[in-house]
Amino acid sequence: LLICGLVARQGLRDPLRRAFTWNTLSIVSWNLDIFALYYFTDAASAEWWSRVFRIGICLAPATTFHFALALSESGALGWRVLLGGAYATGFTLAVANMFGLLVTNVTPHRWGWYIEPGPLYGVLTASLVIFLGLWANRVWRAYRHPISSRQRVQAKFWLLGGLIQIPFVLTNLLPIYGINIYPLGNVGNVLFTAIVAYAMVRHRLMDVDYIVRKGVSFGLAAG
């Protein structure tokens, strides 16, 4: 969330910063959804807060794909239509989620509560798999055929972060479908965030280094 704020502070007119902000907020919401299931001891509270933060999960496939299109500068009509379909699916699932059509209940596990999928959860799973695949396609293309050295560096770090994060994220789906292993999506998010933070500091990714310097200078002056 801090990284998101630093990038958004530079303004959301730039398509890449705007897409990064929405994607990061959906990842934050995803983490809070899992946190709610682990934190609350009573099923009602865990289910309610998980349902609220699940809105971010519903939109995560679309925001992830959106960022890949912005990074690779894929502006062709076909990609824009796919992006519109991704957001339409995400918002539809978000509304269905609030009416209990995505998750029917929560059940106890060794690590806390976990969800029981409803009739539309398969749509969310399919959306996640499809748009993560399209994300990989666009970021890989930006890395292999960049229009600038800067785009290649950006794509390299996001590709590295995604290759580490995605397998961890997919483990969150396994308990839903009866494979009783500990969901490791949050671990993947930590590793992904560490890679992005390193790239921002070391390689001036997203031009956030200026904001960091400005913030430190302001803090020292205020002290």
Side-chain angles (χ1 to χ4, degrees):
L1 187 60
L2 175 62
I3 292 174
C4 176
L6 290 172
V7 173
R9 177 67 178 79
Q10 301 173 81
L12 298 180
R13 292 181 179 272
D14 178 72
L16 184 61
R17 287 200 294 266
R18 186 166 59 247
F20 174 84
T21 299
W22 305 144
N23 188 210
T24 306
L25 287 175
S26 68
I27 293 174
V28 170
S29 183
W30 192 324
N31 279 275
L32 289 172
D33 171 35
I34 301 298
F35 172 77
L37 293 172
Y38 293 175
Y39 178 76
F40 291 102
T41 56
D42 63 293
S45 297
E47 195 281 328
W48 167 250
W49 286 109
S50 173
R51 183 186 300 190
V52 170
F53 292 126
R54 196 176 301 118
I55 294 172
I57 300 179
C58 295
L59 295 174
T63 61
T64 300
F65 180 49
H66 187 179
F67 176 78
L69 293 184
L71 178 67
S72 61
E73 299 188 23
S74 302
L77 177 61
W79 292 116
R80 296 201 303 271
V81 170
L82 277 175
L83 181 61
Y87 273 111
T89 302
F91 281 114
T92 301
L93 289 173
V95 173
N97 167 64
M98 297 310 294
F99 286 96
L101 298 176
L102 211 58
V103 170
T104 59
N105 205 349
V106 294
T107 56
H109 283 256
R110 292 171 305 188
W111 56 80
W113 302 100
Y114 217 64
I115 63 173
E116 290 186 358
L120 293 181
Y121 206 90
V123 178
L124 176 58
T125 300
S127 175
L128 183 65
V129 172
I130 290 170
F131 288 108
L132 281 179
L134 291 173
W135 172 91
N137 172 274
R138 290 294 86 194
V139 177
W140 174 252
R141 179 172 179 78
Y143 176 71
R144 293 292 295 170
H145 305 286
I147 60 175
S148 67
S149 58
R150 177 178 176 78
Q151 187 188 59
R152 184 181 178 88
V153 171
Q154 289 177 323
K156 178 178 72 173
F157 280 101
W158 253 276
L159 196 60
L160 175 62
L163 289 175
I164 293 174
Q165 181 192 35
I166 290 172
F168 284 100
V169 166
L170 293 178
T171 66
N172 283 32
L173 298 175
L174 299 181
I176 299 172
Y177 295 103
I179 303 175
N180 194 28
I181 69 169
Y182 190 89
L184 298 170
N186 296 65
V187 177
N189 287 336
V190 171
L191 297 174
F192 174 77
T193 304
I195 291 171
V196 171
Y198 168 80
M200 286 182 170
V201 174
R202 181 68 178 82
H203 296 280
R204 300 182 177 182
L205 208 65
M206 308 298 294
D207 297 321
V208 79
D209 60 312
Y210 168 74
I211 300 296
V212 172
R213 291 199 307 270
K214 186 176 179 181
V216 171
S217 299
F218 178 80
L220 291 175

